[in-house]
Amino acid sequence: MSSVMPQPETAPIVACTISRDVQNFDLLIEDMEQVLGESWGDLGFAEALAFFGQPEAAAMEFVALALDDADEDNLVLMGEIISQAKARDIKVILIAEDVTPASLHQLLRQGADEFVPYPLPEGELQQAIDRVRATPQPLPVETERTAQLKTGANKEGAVFVTHGVAGGTGTTTLAVNLAWELALLSTSETPSVCLLDLDMQFGSASTYLDLPRREAVFEMLSDTESMDDEIFGQSLLTFEDKLQVLTAPADMIPLDLVTSDDIRRVIDMARAHFDFVVIDMPSTLVQWTETVLNAAHIYFTTLELDMRSAQNTLRFKRALQSEELPIEKLRYVLNRAPKFADLGGKARVKRLGESLDISVEVHLPDGGKPISQGADHGLPLASSAAKNPLRREIAKLAASIHELSEDQAKAA
């Protein structure tokens, strides 16, 4: 009587590596075999996207996305792989060799759960796998980070506005970092600074501070007549327990969707609860620009030392004068101002002021690459480039504003 030996069952595939060529990551192969035996597979980048649509993907616990500097041109594809994996509740461990911090930050923000450098440190892959397998469900971010405002507050906070006469003049950089420097100067136990991003189409304060855009903002702006302390507080997000931020809405909306009355109510509510309110404006003049200008204590107008800024500044000034608006509140801020020893540049600034009949009171130096890098990482300059000359000038500006506010409070 013959007998048939039973065939061993194939181990279920619970993980896979995804790379351009897994042979470039031989240490990863060794660690995957050591940790998972034969319970893993390997896919190329394009194959991975097709695999996620197959039934076998339902059993997958995690993927190890391996890339090096040659893959940085395909970050969009990498991000799509991460998004597809997360949509199917598959954890993503990022394995990277010689990849720039900005690229790593971008992929981690898109949903990668863990990062392990390559060559792999001893036992680090096992620890990363253990962490993703044991990751608890996070608490809702919005619930944890929204503001709890006191009913009936009436601080009558000071309002400072930033408005660029052209794109790229540093308006949002000034608004975000001015607000943060004011928050750092505060001795109050509760946040006393509020940043309002009123550039509702292209506002990027949320990006500069790594905060999510939320539907609550649109809902609040859509019905400001019903807005109370609680609704306004729920539309704000807290940055590092010191700064409250009203981000731009999640979707681009027409600038005329809100009225002057809507904006007035929002500013009045912010002033009632905070000592300082910083507003980042769209460069476009809208029907409620007048409302913001009238509410402002100082209206910082950013420009650069070029022809487009000069022409737009002149048009901006004439537009306000034609409506008999308080242009005395304008404070002109020169972005990328000439250095101390640049006598030719200083002469050009003087001629610019004379030709436009304005006084350029604030000079912000060119901070270089650290400025855009800090913005990409979602960090204010005080955290990402504390010694940068631009950060120092904004800190001085915030200190002068804070000191003036304290002197006025004492006089009152």
Side-chain angles (χ1 to χ4, degrees), residues 82 102-112 206-212 375-378:
I82 293 172
S103 297
L104 287 176
H105 178 75
Q106 179 177 336
L107 294 176
L108 287 169
R109 287 191 62 190
Q110 288 179 303
S206 60
T207 303
Y208 283 34
L209 295 173
D210 196 16
L211 296 172
D376 287 344
H377 285 74

Side-chain angles (χ1 to χ4, degrees), residues 42-109:
D42 174 60
L43 296 169
F45 293 140
E47 295 172 326
L49 293 177
F51 172 77
F52 288 138
Q54 299 177 6
E56 292 83 352
M60 196 68 57
E61 293 183 15
F62 69 90
V63 296
L65 179 59
L67 65 155
D68 56 26
D69 55 343
D71 299 312
E72 289 196 77
D73 292 336
N74 293 319
L75 288 183
V76 174
L77 177 59
M78 307 293 108
E80 181 62 21
I81 290 172
I82 293 172
S83 298
Q84 292 291 334
K86 300 303 291 182
R88 292 161 176 80
D89 294 326
I90 300 172
K91 303 292 185 181
V92 179
I93 300 176
L94 197 59
I95 313 293
E97 180 180 22
D98 297 331
V99 177
T100 63
S103 297
L104 287 176
H105 178 75
Q106 179 177 336
L107 294 176
L108 287 169
R109 287 191 62 190

Side-chain angles (χ1 to χ4, degrees), residues 4 32 40 65 72 106 160 172 198 235 280 333 350 410:
V4 179
M32 291 290 283
W40 67 283
L65 179 59
E72 289 196 77
Q106 179 177 336
F160 303 98
T172 301
L198 296 187
S235 68
D280 188 15
V333 179
K350 183 179 180 181
K410 291 177 182 178

Side-chain angles (χ1 to χ4, degrees), residues 240-254:
E240 294 192 6
D241 297 326
K242 286 182 173 291
L243 175 65
Q244 300 291 348
V245 184
L246 180 76
T247 68
D251 297 317
M252 293 178 63
I253 64 174

Side-chain angles (χ1 to χ4, degrees), residues 158-163 267 271 289-302 316-317 320-321 324-333 359 361-362:
V159 178
F160 303 98
V161 182
T162 63
H163 188 142
I267 295 175
R271 290 192 63 200
T289 300
E290 177 180 353
T291 302
V292 179
L293 178 58
N294 286 326
H297 290 76
I298 300 178
Y299 202 97
F300 292 109
T301 306
T302 62
F316 179 72
K317 181 180 173 184
L320 299 185
Q321 287 176 323
E324 298 182 352
L325 296 178
I327 63 170
E328 65 275 5
K329 293 185 178 183
L330 302 183
R331 296 292 183 274
Y332 294 96
V333 179
S359 175
E361 299 180 19
V362 182

Side-chain angles (χ1 to χ4, degrees), residues 15-35:
C16 70
T17 57
I18 301 175
S19 63
R20 186 179 72 259
D21 184 356
V22 74
Q23 298 302 321
N24 295 334
F25 300 89
D26 53 342
L27 295 178
L28 175 60
I29 296 175
E30 293 178 10
D31 281 15
M32 291 290 283
E33 290 179 344
Q34 180 180 350
V35 176

